[in-house]
Amino acid sequence: KRTPGLGFFKAENVIVQDGLLHMKFPILTKDGGEMATNDGVVPPYGTFRAKIKTPSKMKGTYTTFFLYNPHNEDEVDIELWNNKTNQIDFTIWIKATKIFSDKVELPFDPSKEFHEYRIDFYPGEISFWVDGQKYSFYKGEKGMPTSKMKIYINNWWPKWMEGSRKLKTGQALYDYIKY
């Protein structure tokens, strides 16, 4: 399946090895990987967590953890930039319209070790957490997503980021995903 950016999501780029989920950026491509909850969707409210270690020096790519309804395009995103800037985007979409976005610089390199990324989605507030610290929140000023959403993880090459195909394979590692 084509990514929303460059390249394709390919099943062979997602493997479980040594108790971790590996999501690869293969050498000399702009392909990535994606996984979503299987049957149905999760309720829109709750706490969603993923423990992630991003790839190092993969300029032009994202590692993500998000909630998404592919039918109406409601979405709540955590997107990590893999370019050594320690940037993370927190974004909320209602019916494919961006209603909230906050770009934050983390005080650590997310490629050096695992960190827990969390979305708390409750009536009246969606908050974004890293390692137990609240980094951003949205109080519903422009409405709230109301549809049930699947949990997704993926890695990909957005069209708006600069970066070239890599001479080595990079990968994001996921230790767990919890709801």
Side-chain angles (χ1 to χ4, degrees):
K1 145 180 162 180
R2 180 162 282 288
T3 71
L6 306 169
F8 293 87
F9 291 129
K10 294 190 173 180
E12 63 263 26
N13 295 336
V14 181
I15 62 168
V16 175
Q17 181 180 341
D18 301 323
L20 299 172
L21 188 138
H22 297 245
M23 200 163 288
K24 295 184 178 185
F25 289 104
I27 188 170
L28 298 177
T29 76
K30 289 207 171 181
D31 295 332
E34 179 175 73
M35 287 187 68
T37 49
N38 267 348
D39 347 279
V41 291
V42 298
Y45 300 124
T47 294
F48 307 84
R49 304 168 189 263
K51 193 168 187 181
I52 305 168
K53 181 179 177 185
T54 64
S56 178
K57 299 179 185 175
M58 293 292 298
K59 186 177 180 183
T61 66
Y62 266 150
T63 294
T64 70
F65 167 58
F66 61 106
L67 310 175
Y68 180 59
N69 181 318
H71 303 294
N72 75 352
E73 298 186 350
D74 280 357
E75 188 169 354
V76 178
D77 296 328
I78 292 179
E79 297 171 317
L80 294 137
W81 294 51
N82 300 323
N83 63 358
K84 300 297 279 181
T85 62
N86 306 341
Q87 289 181 54
I88 187 169
D89 293 339
F90 305 115
T91 311
I92 301 170
W93 302 78
I94 297 177
K95 296 179 181 33
T97 299
K98 187 188 301 185
I99 60 159
F100 175 82
S101 184
D102 192 7
K103 185 184 307 280
V104 174
E105 185 175 333
L106 297 170
F108 56 82
D109 180 347
S111 72
K112 295 292 184 199
E113 59 189 13
F114 282 95
H115 296 276
E116 184 184 76
Y117 301 91
R118 182 174 108 204
I119 299 167
D120 283 354
F121 187 161
Y122 292 101
E125 182 173 304
I126 298 171
S127 56
F128 300 93
W129 302 71
V130 181
D131 293 333
Q133 180 181 343
K134 187 189 266 188
Y135 273 80
S136 188
F137 65 93
Y138 170 73
K139 290 278 194 186
E141 298 87 351
K142 297 180 182 177
M144 295 287 276
T146 57
S147 65
K148 294 181 179 182
M149 294 183 265
K150 294 183 178 185
I151 300 171
Y152 279 80
I153 57 172
N154 66 27
N155 62 0
W156 59 290
W157 298 78
K159 292 176 184 175
W160 57 90
M161 282 189 185
E162 293 180 20
S164 58
R165 291 178 175 93
K166 304 304 173 204
L167 299 177
K168 66 176 188 163
T169 295
Q171 64 184 353
L173 301 174
Y174 292 79
D175 185 26
Y176 61 75
I177 300 161
K178 297 179 180 180
Y179 163 65

